[in-house]
Amino acid sequence: MNSAIAVKQKWQSLRFGKAEVQALGKAVLIPLVGLLLFLGLWHLGAKQVDTSLGQFPGPAEVHEQWNNLLSEHRAENEREAAFYERQQARNEKKLAADPNAEVRWRDFNRRPTFFDQIITSLVTVMTGFLLATAIAIPLGICIGLSNTVYRALNPIIQIFKPVSPLAWLPLVTMVVSAVYVTDDPMLAKSFITSVVTVTLCCLWPTMINTAVGVASLNQDLQNVSRVLRLGWFTHVKTIVLPSAIPMMFTGLRLSLGIAWMVLIAAEMLAQNPGLGKFVWDEFQNGSSNSLGRICVAVLMIGFIGFLLDRALLLLQSWVNWDKTAVVR
């Protein structure tokens, strides 16, 4: 059967009732109307604001700057490709003249573009988040299972939980500079500083929610574990963890959101590579395009935060033993 005919028959077999149309409207049209209203208000409001760098950018100006950032990224990629092509041609010519000649390969001194900064920030935030998760979940399980551990750690958690990243950053910077001393660093100090700051600020929600999820374990499940005489690790693996997954993922989603916010602030203040540094550099640049570029960065930061949260939500749906549970 022709594929076009098959598609046509498939389309004709679809029946859209009133309920389907209403569901489609709720899922697509209502968010679209909200988005259009936001863009309209932004467009009208931007015309009323004059700053020292010119009029506040509206959606059209921000879209123009997005295209400019894309063009700059493509131009930098072309420069890098041309550099390595020239280097390869020069070395091949040198080896053709003298097979024993010593050839040198130099790395391209790439100027970080907006999209390079996004990748840098994503790598940094995921490193800090995974490190915080590796610390927070085991500690949260121990706190939830043992009142003694809870009493011992609760004062520390309550003291350090509300500390701002702005307070942690100078301490972390000084400690990393003092401890991480090497002639051949595998990782940049700026990267380690950002990772440690993110880890310190985002581990608390996961730890607390994991502890609450473990502590609220159903008494029937605990009785089953006692009757079956499960060992500690088996009890945790088969009874505790599956029951605590919803609370655990609530903490993970909060932690990831905090990690992303903390990272941008840390990069901005410490001038570490990433989106935060991009925003600060554009602010210091003070050109007529700076505000538009900062708006692009703000929208991208929000969009990436949204995608990270959706990714964790999908992971929760996949990991959760109760596939009928509603996650949002």
Side-chain angles (χ1 to χ4, degrees):
M1 180 184 294
N2 189 307
S3 59
I5 296 174
V7 171
K8 184 178 180 182
Q9 291 178 348
K10 181 72 175 175
W11 177 255
Q12 289 175 342
S13 67
L14 294 175
R15 294 287 184 270
F16 289 100
K18 187 178 178 181
E20 285 79 8
V21 172
Q22 287 180 341
L24 184 64
K26 289 179 181 176
V28 178
L29 292 182
I30 293 177
L32 188 61
V33 168
L35 186 61
L36 290 175
L37 277 174
F38 167 73
L39 291 176
L41 290 173
W42 179 9
H43 174 73
L44 294 174
K47 292 182 178 299
Q48 312 303 320
V49 181
D50 283 317
T51 71
S52 59
L53 299 179
Q55 193 175 69
F56 193 82
E61 290 78 15
V62 172
H63 182 257
E64 181 184 347
Q65 291 307 318
W66 164 259
N67 289 333
N68 290 341
L69 290 170
L70 270 177
S71 300
E72 290 174 7
H73 183 69
R74 292 188 187 118
E76 195 66 18
N77 286 342
E78 289 171 0
R79 281 186 61 222
E80 183 176 4
F83 173 82
Y84 284 116
E85 284 176 6
R86 287 197 305 272
Q87 188 169 219
Q88 184 174 2
R90 185 168 59 247
N91 287 338
E92 285 177 354
K93 185 178 179 181
K94 195 173 181 180
L95 288 173
D98 179 9
N100 297 321
E102 182 181 353
V103 295
R104 293 181 180 178
W105 292 95
R106 291 189 301 148
D107 291 330
F108 179 67
N109 187 19
R110 185 184 175 90
R111 185 181 57 185
T113 65
F114 175 67
F115 298 94
D116 294 330
Q117 304 283 29
I118 290 175
I119 294 172
T120 301
S121 289
L122 281 174
V123 171
T124 307
V125 77
M126 291 312 299
T127 305
F129 172 70
L130 292 175
L131 186 59
T133 302
I135 297 170
I137 288 182
L139 271 178
I141 292 172
C142 293
I143 293 169
L145 289 175
S146 169
N147 282 330
T148 305
V149 178
Y150 166 73
R151 291 192 185 97
L153 294 182
N154 187 51
I156 301 171
I157 294 172
Q158 298 307 324
I159 288 171
F160 287 114
K161 178 167 62 83
V163 176
S164 163
L166 305 182
W168 279 120
L169 192 58
L171 294 176
V172 173
T173 303
M174 297 300 291
V175 170
V176 170
S177 299
V179 174
Y180 189 61
V181 180
T182 172
D183 296 330
D184 186 20
M186 187 173 66
L187 299 170
K189 282 185 180 179
S190 59
F191 174 77
I192 295 176
T193 301
S194 297
V195 166
V196 173
T197 306
V198 167
T199 302
L200 284 172
C201 294
C202 80
L203 61 87
W204 311 111
T206 301
M207 187 186 298
I208 293 170
N209 280 276
T210 302
V212 172
V214 171
S216 58
L217 185 64
N218 189 292
Q219 188 61 42
D220 292 339
L221 292 175
Q222 295 194 30
N223 293 336
V224 169
S225 180
R226 289 195 189 96
V227 169
L228 295 177
R229 297 183 179 179
L230 299 179
W232 192 86
F233 284 106
T234 309
H235 171 70
V236 170
K237 180 182 174 184
T238 58
I239 303 291
V240 173
L241 284 179
S243 301
I245 276 179
M247 288 297 294
M248 195 183 296
F249 269 89
T250 299
L252 286 171
R253 289 173 64 191
L254 289 171
S255 288
L256 188 53
I258 291 173
W260 189 233
M261 288 191 292
V262 166
L263 175 69
I264 300 301
E267 289 172 345
M268 190 179 293
L269 291 173
Q271 287 293 286
N272 296 333
L275 274 173
K277 184 175 187 303
F278 174 85
V279 172
W280 184 253
D281 287 347
E282 288 297 333
F283 176 69
Q284 294 294 319
N285 184 16
S287 74
S288 57
N289 296 328
S290 292
L291 286 179
R293 288 169 174 253
I294 292 174
C295 286
V296 172
V298 168
L299 292 174
M300 183 57 69
I301 289 167
F303 184 64
I304 291 174
F306 169 75
L307 290 182
L308 291 174
D309 185 72
R310 294 298 100 177
L312 267 183
L313 206 60
L314 286 176
L315 182 62
Q316 180 180 358
S317 301
W318 181 64
V319 170
N320 200 349
W321 61 273
D322 185 6
K323 301 302 179 187
T324 61
V326 177
V327 291
R328 59 182 64 180

